[in-house]
Amino acid sequence: MGREAVAGELMAHLARRDPGPGRPVAVVVGPPGAGKTALVLRAAHGVREHFPDGQVFVDLHPADSLPVPPDVLVRRVLRSLGGAPAAEHPEEYRAQLRNALSTRRVLVVLDNVDSEAQVRPLLVDDGRSAVLVAARRELSALPERFSRRIGALEEADALGALTDLVGADRTGAERPAALSIVRSCAGLPLAVHIAGLWLTARPHRRLRDLADRLADERDRLAVLRIGDLSVHAGVTAYVRVLPPPLRTALRELARSPEDFGIPEIPARVTPSPWPPADLLEELLHRQLIHPVPAARQDRTRYRLYDAVRLHAAEAARRAPARTP
């Protein structure tokens, strides 16, 4: 499903006025660099008339900082709505926030959410306010959530995004190079966006110059950065909060380009407290791997997202090789 369709579904869901146990909470989840923030901001802009009392945006895990705890989030949103947290006890200012959200129509947009605990204090059961979430992991325990998962763009959409930035004349004149660029970006919206900005800032350079640089996987993440935008930083934000066994598993899975399933895990990953099936489910839950078609229907195969694979392979090159 394209981003236009997903944005439309999010807006339709948030604009609901039918009675029920609570205003919908909408969640967008996906791998690093998939464009979750851009999508939720677009959806929030599209429903602004349904929330006349305003919208509040909070980044719950800014770069190079610790995640925002739920109680800090509650106080921050309450201040944004014009209310000073007068109470000392966390439950009392949570009650203040629930009262504020129940008497107004407010959309709270949360970016880089890591857990359900960060969202729950904002869920009010009277149907006035709503919460729109861009999450780094599945939030399966949230009640009555409306969830959409996004990933890489189709090749035509990725090429269109690059063309929008660079111009039809340049991409048309070097179509093979343009296709090589979007394929090296694996359809990742952030990577395509950075590539487009790189070319836009260098109108004197050929697309083939960038295509050739991106062809070298070992240098690809270093090239895909401009200003404060970086694919490497986006993946790092996901990886740095992983438990050590999962970080080790990523590095060891990245040593081989092959797909994998439960039977291969004991041979490819250092023994850990995570059983193979649980380890794969956790990596899937955290948007670091994705299922791929398998020759046998009774076996599920997985693959690291391309940017995650390159990031993990870089870490693997710095780490000592596993001793057989």
Side-chain angles (χ1 to χ4, degrees):
M1 182 182 293
R3 299 300 160 85
E4 294 277 348
V6 176
E9 290 186 345
L10 290 170
M11 290 186 283
H13 191 73
L14 291 167
R16 279 174 40 193
R17 291 179 177 272
D18 53 308
R23 189 89 178 184
V25 55
V27 178
V28 176
V29 63
K36 299 180 293 298
T37 302
L39 180 58
V40 299
L41 290 177
R42 178 179 175 183
H45 181 74
V47 296
R48 62 193 182 282
E49 70 276 7
H50 294 280
F51 299 94
D53 295 314
Q55 298 186 358
V56 178
F57 178 88
V58 183
D59 187 348
L60 290 175
H61 201 161
D64 300 321
S65 67
L66 296 174
V68 175
D71 289 335
V72 173
L73 168 64
V74 168
R75 293 195 295 271
R76 188 174 298 179
V77 174
L78 191 56
R79 283 194 297 269
S80 296
L81 296 176
E88 293 295 331
H89 195 278
E91 188 52 45
E92 293 183 23
Y93 51 73
R94 288 190 182 205
Q96 286 181 263
L97 178 59
R98 287 193 294 269
N99 180 66
L101 294 176
S102 66
T103 56
R104 309 180 194 184
R105 285 186 176 171
V106 175
L107 178 64
V108 181
V109 182
L110 303 179
D111 195 19
N112 292 322
V113 170
D114 288 307
S115 71
E116 293 89 342
Q118 294 174 312
V119 182
R120 281 199 182 96
L122 304 178
L123 304 182
V124 180
D125 290 333
D126 77 340
R128 287 181 174 268
S129 295
V131 183
L132 177 57
V133 174
R136 290 176 173 171
R137 57 188 297 175
E138 297 283 355
L139 303 178
S140 304
L142 279 183
E144 301 182 24
R145 76 195 186 285
F146 176 87
S147 183
R148 286 294 180 266
R149 186 181 297 107
I150 62 173
L153 297 170
E154 297 292 334
E155 185 172 281
D157 293 331
L159 182 60
L162 184 69
T163 301
D164 288 343
L165 284 167
V166 177
D169 290 343
R170 289 180 77 185
T171 55
E174 292 190 77
R175 183 175 174 81
L179 286 171
S180 177
I181 289 169
V182 298
R183 288 167 184 165
S184 291
C185 293
L188 189 69
L190 176 60
V192 173
H193 186 69
I194 290 173
L197 293 178
W198 192 96
L199 290 166
T200 301
R202 298 165 175 82
H204 56 288
R205 298 287 293 271
R206 298 172 59 245
L207 270 67
R208 175 51 57 188
D209 295 338
L210 178 59
D212 289 344
R213 291 191 65 185
L214 292 176
D216 183 355
E217 285 195 346
R218 294 172 67 97
D219 195 39
R220 190 174 296 164
L221 291 185
V223 174
L224 287 172
R225 66 175 69 230
I226 188 167
D228 62 348
L229 296 178
S230 165
V231 174
H232 187 279
V235 180
T236 298
Y238 277 62
V239 172
R240 68 185 175 193
V241 298
L242 294 177
L246 291 183
R247 289 201 299 271
T248 300
L250 278 184
R251 291 197 304 269
E252 294 179 341
L253 289 171
R255 294 186 192 275
S256 169
E258 298 176 356
D259 300 338
F260 47 86
I262 292 175
E264 289 84 9
I265 294 301
R268 291 181 58 177
V269 175
T270 300
S272 76
W274 297 78
D278 292 350
L279 185 146
L280 291 178
E281 286 296 321
E282 190 66 19
L283 292 174
L284 183 67
H285 181 79
R286 292 175 180 266
Q287 306 300 302
L288 298 168
I289 64 173
H290 61 98
V292 294
R296 290 177 50 178
Q297 294 184 351
D298 60 335
R299 288 189 178 180
T300 303
R301 307 291 294 176
Y302 300 93
R303 184 178 299 163
L304 295 171
Y305 281 104
D306 196 61
V308 174
R309 177 180 61 83
L310 296 177
H311 187 281
E314 180 182 297
R317 288 193 292 270
R318 297 194 303 265
R322 180 183 170 188
T323 302

